[in-house]
Amino acid sequence: MSPLNLASPLTPRRLKRLPLALLLAGSASWTHGYAAEAETPAPVPAGKPAANSSQLETVTVTTRRREESSQDVPTPMSVVSGQNLETQRVYRIQDLQQLVPSVNVAYMHARQSSVSIRGLGNNPASDGLEGSVGLYIDNVYLGRPGMAVFDLMDIEQLEVLRGPQGTLFGKNTTAGVINISTRAPTFTPERSIETSVGEDGYFQTKGTISGPLNDQLAGRFSAYRTRSDGDIKNEYDGHDLNGGSREGFRAQMLFKPNEDFNLRWIGDYNEEDSSAGTRVLYNTGPTINGVNLYQSRANAAGATLVNGSHRKVNLDNDQHVTVHQGGTSVEANWTLPSDFTLTSISSYRFWNFTPRNDDGLNVPASYNAGVSVEDKQYSQEFRLASPKGEFFDYVVGAYYFGSDLDNKSFAYYGPQADIWNGTPAGALANVTSVGNGHIKTDSFALFAQGTWHLTERLDFTAGVRGTYEEKNAWVTRNAPVGGASVTGAAATARRGRAGAYDSGDLNQYSSSPSGLLNLSYRITDDVLGYATLSHGEKSGGVNLAVGSAPVAGADSLLIGTERANNAELGFKSTLWDHRLQLNANVFWTQVNAYQTNAYDAENRVQYLTNAGSVRSRGVEFESTVIPLRGLTLNINGSYNDVSYLSYKDAPCPPEVSQAPGAPASCDLSGHQVVGASKWIGNANGEYKWNLDNGFEPYVTASYAFRSKAVGTVEDSDYGQIPSYAVVNFSTGLRGDFNQGQWDVSLWLKNAFDKTYYTTLWTGGNGGYEGLLGTPRTLGVTGRYDF
């Protein structure tokens, strides 16, 4: 946060956060950066929302490292306040795609997760590669998307910026940024406690305390615990899966000895022990010449398949993940002579992930397989901001990011492994294979962005960034252990899948420029138009799993630099006496050497690759209106056509690869990029009113629609994610008690119990597995702010 944010006066609105109107909304209600405000100038009592709202209130952002209205920032962005996250019961990063347009979160569990914006950035399990979308929390860049897989608690604001970033943010990104700011310590006491109970054993409790320790020092402490039984039934033993527990805390100290200096320290820890990522059978793939390979091999191994759409699996081994992560950061802000501002942000974070994955069958083809990860990262950023109000204002900075990551790939094959994998008898049965990967990253950058206020209405902004990055890595695999002694074809197959390998030292050095040109014009006092040209680059990386490297060579483990060129044209408007907001933009982005995930069917391993060039183009809009007191309506959406302009050496879908005379690769030029829905639409409404006894009832409803999307990179006809819509409702009652405010609400997620898939996964033998969305869930929440 900026120093102005930390030192700003504590209004009644900041003293007491508005309580919950609980709902997991499928829309972007108030994600435009505005919220309801009382029409009269009289102050709102602490903790009491303005029920008679008739205008939209300006929300401040620090996207350009200065405090300004979100409507004055000439770039496509969505802003979600912490209050709205609470109101809509959005507390996980993977639920963000239900709030804003053009965003997709491919989530299986903490490691197999990625965030894409406008269809760009869908590359899960990228141990040796940062994402195309940058995730930040309190100005600290998170090197792994999985570092954001914890409950979002005590959030001040969440900003989604679309398009290449880097001239103002620490790490370079080509698709966009999600910037999360938590609530800072306050010099006036704040306390809250909240408990939620729902179906499938759902139980969540959260609490926060904040206040002064003396005249110069304030503290804040927040903690949570969430657990559930799970919503998928394992037919093998009758247990529920896809549940578990998450818990964590955040501690903060704010030191503010005077108006010219403040220092904020944050320490946090989160852990997860769950069966998250339980995949169900989506379909068994193609039938060729009367044979369905997935079904026939499952039958031969003695497995019994179950219908995944009925929320059932049949697993004879564990599905389990554990995550331990945390970190600390210190942000210091100095106001220098002539009102320059110097900011320093120092951070350290760690992330440890351990999985246990079943093979999807109720027979021992595999006992356990997966990749465990230990990651440590460090960063340091310095920024200098000039005073506001001059003809020319600017921000310049320097940034360092370093990480040290180790992973361990393991596969413990069972006695049915050869039948299921189609290998010669004895090749994999009862064999254990273990590999290790390591990558060290050092990234250095200088960046600057300045704005010339050419007239009272016309601004010109230019930004530049230079990044130099070094990556040093190695990948090894131990000789296989166990299994019977084999020769001939079985021995060849064992060497190919589990043989010893050492890549030697792998080094990558890259210099990546980025730039921005922006022209904005205040058409009227309430309408801003803008046009932007930007270029972003992110360095390459290393595949930290052996895969096909023994055949293709160690160079096949390297992934090249991704480069994006982007053009934007849009407007932002606040109309009808601040009761209507309408923002819209068109965009055109071309990415060369696009980094994405592919699947090696021969070795059954996911790997990263450069998939030629990609074009993303479309339109986005967000609108909010208050037609009458107490009623807020929001509609937002996007159309996004993202496809490969050139991807000639792509993996083939199973209906091609399993056919006689199948080619070694396919041309996917012109195909849609994985995970991107062309159409996204969200609608949300809330109505609240006051009763004579001082109580405030409220009701909310939301609708979220996503059109069909390509499920996996090879774009198989059998791996398409169908379109779906989710409807949510809630109702509740608020009231004052003992200088505080209580809130009790009843909420219903996925009210019509729609069965839908959020992500698909290649399951081997031409089949596909899927991650199901939340089923219909009824719950109740109580909260007390005091």
Side-chain angles (χ1 to χ4, degrees):
M1 299 178 69
S2 73
L4 290 174
N5 272 341
L6 296 177
S8 59
L10 294 172
T11 64
R13 181 182 180 86
R14 293 188 67 187
L15 291 179
K16 299 290 183 180
R17 302 290 166 186
L18 299 182
L20 295 181
L22 296 177
L23 171 70
L24 178 58
S27 71
S29 174
W30 312 290
T31 57
H32 48 285
Y34 277 70
E37 170 185 62
E39 183 179 28
T40 62
V44 179
K48 183 176 178 61
N52 296 323
S53 56
S54 62
Q55 288 188 323
L56 298 169
E57 179 185 77
T58 302
V59 165
T60 300
V61 298
T62 56
T63 303
R64 297 195 291 184
R65 300 319 189 192
R66 302 174 182 277
E67 282 197 334
E68 54 190 335
S69 164
S70 64
Q71 289 297 90
D72 292 335
V73 180
T75 190
M77 63 183 299
S78 298
V79 182
V80 187
S81 72
Q83 177 190 325
N84 292 332
L85 290 172
E86 293 166 350
T87 298
Q88 300 171 44
R89 286 204 55 74
V90 171
Y91 55 89
R92 302 180 303 174
I93 194 70
Q94 55 265 40
D95 296 327
L96 182 61
Q97 63 183 7
Q98 300 187 17
L99 297 177
V100 294
S102 296
V103 173
N104 180 72
V105 181
Y107 174 79
M108 187 173 83
H109 50 55
R111 178 174 175 268
Q112 297 284 8
S113 60
S114 66
V115 181
S116 63
I117 293 179
R118 296 173 175 171
L120 306 175
N122 194 347
N123 45 9
S126 51
D127 294 338
L129 182 72
E130 293 80 31
S132 299
V133 175
L135 296 173
Y136 291 79
I137 184 163
D138 293 319
N139 290 326
V140 173
Y141 174 74
L142 306 179
R144 312 253 69 78
M147 286 182 171
V149 180
F150 53 80
D151 283 18
L152 300 174
M153 63 170 175
D154 208 24
I155 301 299
E156 176 72 31
Q157 192 162 275
L158 187 150
E159 302 158 11
V160 180
L161 287 77
R162 300 183 283 271
Q165 308 293 325
T167 59
L168 282 176
F169 278 88
K171 198 75 169 64
N172 213 13
T173 57
T174 52
V177 157
I178 296 175
N179 187 35
I180 304 169
S181 300
T182 66
R183 292 166 181 158
T186 58
F187 283 92
T188 300
E190 290 184 8
R191 297 173 296 276
S192 69
I193 184 72
E194 174 191 310
T195 298
S196 301
V197 179
E199 293 181 279
D200 296 321
Y202 175 77
F203 183 86
Q204 181 186 65
T205 184
K206 299 187 292 185
T208 296
I209 183 170
S210 179
L213 302 178
N214 57 43
D215 292 341
Q216 299 180 347
L217 188 66
R220 191 178 191 97
F221 184 83
S222 303
Y224 75 92
R225 189 173 194 275
T226 304
R227 69 164 306 278
S228 66
D229 294 336
D231 50 37
I232 295 175
K233 178 70 68 177
N234 187 1
E235 294 285 276
Y236 184 83
D237 57 15
H239 292 168
D240 291 326
L241 295 174
N242 213 37
S245 64
R246 298 182 304 276
E247 54 194 356
F249 67 86
R250 182 185 301 114
Q252 303 184 58
M253 300 288 284
L254 174 62
F255 178 57
K256 187 177 180 297
N258 53 57
E259 293 298 319
D260 295 330
F261 176 75
N262 62 69
L263 183 147
R264 183 183 180 189
W265 168 81
I266 303 174
D268 68 87
Y269 176 78
N270 297 272
E271 65 179 43
E272 176 180 349
D273 186 349
S274 75
S275 53
T278 299
R279 295 170 287 182
V280 302
L281 180 60
Y282 179 68
N283 67 50
T284 60
T287 297
I288 298 175
N289 295 329
V291 177
N292 181 282
L293 189 62
Y294 190 102
Q295 184 75 60
S296 64
R297 287 184 176 174
N299 291 342
T304 302
L305 304 179
V306 297
N307 190 332
S309 64
H310 295 163
R311 312 192 74 88
K312 294 181 179 180
V313 293
N314 200 6
L315 311 181
D316 64 332
N317 278 295
D318 290 342
Q319 177 67 40
H320 186 253
V321 298
T322 58
V323 183
H324 300 272
Q325 63 167 316
T328 185
S329 67
V330 176
E331 177 176 336
N333 297 280
W334 294 267
T335 301
L336 306 178
S338 302
D339 286 334
F340 282 82
T341 302
L342 176 65
T343 299
S344 169
I345 305 168
S346 309
S347 78
Y348 163 78
R349 297 201 66 82
F350 70 91
W351 186 76
N352 298 331
F353 171 84
T354 304
R356 183 176 178 87
N357 298 312
D358 186 76
D359 53 22
L361 306 175
N362 63 328
V363 295
S366 170
Y367 294 118
N368 184 18
V371 181
S372 60
V373 182
E374 293 184 1
D375 185 21
K376 298 181 291 291
Q377 69 167 58
Y378 320 82
S379 65
Q380 174 64 53
E381 182 172 359
F382 294 105
R383 290 199 307 265
L384 179 68
S386 68
K388 293 178 64 176
E390 304 293 329
F391 169 74
F392 174 65
D393 58 54
Y394 60 88
V395 175
V396 297
Y399 181 74
Y400 166 75
F401 173 82
S403 71
D404 203 335
L405 182 146
D406 293 278
N407 74 1
K408 176 183 177 181
S409 304
F410 52 88
Y412 299 90
Y413 295 104
Q416 305 292 63
D418 294 314
I419 296 175
W420 177 241
N421 287 272
T423 49
L428 298 177
N430 298 314
V431 167
T432 294
S433 176
V434 176
N436 293 278
H438 171 81
I439 184 167
K440 186 178 188 301
T441 301
D442 290 291
S443 178
F444 308 86
L446 298 174
F447 57 89
Q449 183 167 305
T451 299
W452 289 263
H453 304 285
L454 302 178
T455 71
E456 289 186 357
R457 294 185 177 274
L458 182 64
D459 288 347
F460 173 70
T461 299
V464 65
R465 175 192 183 91
T467 302
Y468 173 74
E469 196 154 295
E470 296 181 358
K471 291 189 175 181
N472 308 107
W474 49 259
V475 180
T476 64
R477 188 167 62 196
N478 301 338
V481 176
S485 298
V486 290
T487 58
T492 301
R494 181 180 294 182
R495 285 194 301 270
R497 187 73 67 90
Y501 178 78
D502 188 342
S503 69
D505 292 336
L506 300 169
N507 300 303
Q508 200 173 62
Y509 309 95
S510 62
S511 298
S512 304
S514 298
L516 169 79
L517 296 174
N518 174 273
L519 197 65
S520 64
Y521 183 71
R522 181 66 66 178
I523 301 170
T524 70
D525 290 343
D526 297 321
V527 180
L528 175 71
Y530 61 89
T532 302
L533 296 174
S534 58
H535 173 79
E537 293 190 9
K538 61 186 290 286
S539 63
V542 181
N543 277 295
L544 293 187
V546 173
S548 57
V551 176
D555 287 347
S556 67
L557 298 173
L558 302 177
I559 303 100
T561 299
E562 180 178 276
R563 301 176 175 86
N565 296 309
N566 178 65
E568 308 272 358
L569 185 64
F571 70 88
K572 296 186 173 185
S573 63
T574 306
L575 310 170
W576 195 21
D577 191 26
H578 287 254
R579 297 172 65 180
L580 170 65
Q581 181 186 286
L582 179 62
N583 300 340
N585 64 279
V586 295
F587 61 90
W588 186 296
T589 306
Q590 181 167 326
V591 182
N592 296 318
Y594 178 61
Q595 298 166 343
T596 189
N597 225 36
Y599 180 72
D600 180 355
E602 178 66 24
N603 293 284
R604 299 202 179 184
V605 63
Q606 299 280 343
Y607 66 96
L608 291 161
T609 184
N610 293 104
S613 60
V614 169
R615 180 192 62 205
S616 175
R617 58 184 178 181
V619 60
E620 301 157 333
F621 79 96
E622 296 177 277
S623 64
T624 300
V625 61
I626 300 179
L628 53 90
R629 292 178 186 271
L631 177 62
T632 303
L633 303 175
N634 173 269
I635 300 175
N636 70 77
S638 59
Y639 170 79
N640 181 22
D641 177 19
V642 53
S643 58
Y644 298 108
L645 293 180
S646 176
Y647 191 10
K648 296 183 178 180
D649 191 21
C652 293
E655 56 266 36
V656 174
S657 63
Q658 293 179 11
S665 63
C666 289
D667 186 354
L668 294 183
S669 302
H671 287 236
Q672 287 292 112
V673 171
V674 60
S677 296
K678 277 193 175 183
W679 295 95
I680 296 176
N682 306 304
N684 178 284
E686 180 187 40
Y687 183 61
K688 54 187 177 181
W689 65 98
N690 282 331
L691 301 179
D692 292 339
N693 57 10
F695 291 159
E696 183 186 74
Y698 55 88
V699 293
T700 70
S702 68
Y703 172 88
F705 170 79
R706 298 176 73 88
S707 65
K708 72 180 183 70
V710 175
T712 55
V713 68
E714 67 271 15
D715 195 12
S716 169
D717 292 339
Y718 298 87
Q720 304 292 312
I721 302 175
S723 63
Y724 65 88
V726 177
V727 177
N728 307 297
F729 298 107
S730 77
T731 184
L733 185 67
R734 303 181 180 109
D736 296 326
F737 176 74
N738 194 26
Q739 297 184 334
Q741 187 182 70
W742 55 266
D743 185 314
V744 177
S745 62
L746 183 70
W747 43 267
L748 184 63
K749 303 178 188 179
N750 192 4
F752 300 111
D753 204 21
K754 173 68 175 178
T755 298
Y756 63 99
Y757 292 84
T758 59
T759 306
L760 293 188
W761 202 255
T762 305
N765 293 320
Y768 290 92
E769 299 167 344
L771 277 297
L772 286 166
T774 304
R776 179 167 55 205
T777 306
L778 180 67
V780 63
T781 296
R783 174 165 173 155
Y784 184 51
D785 293 87
F786 58 103

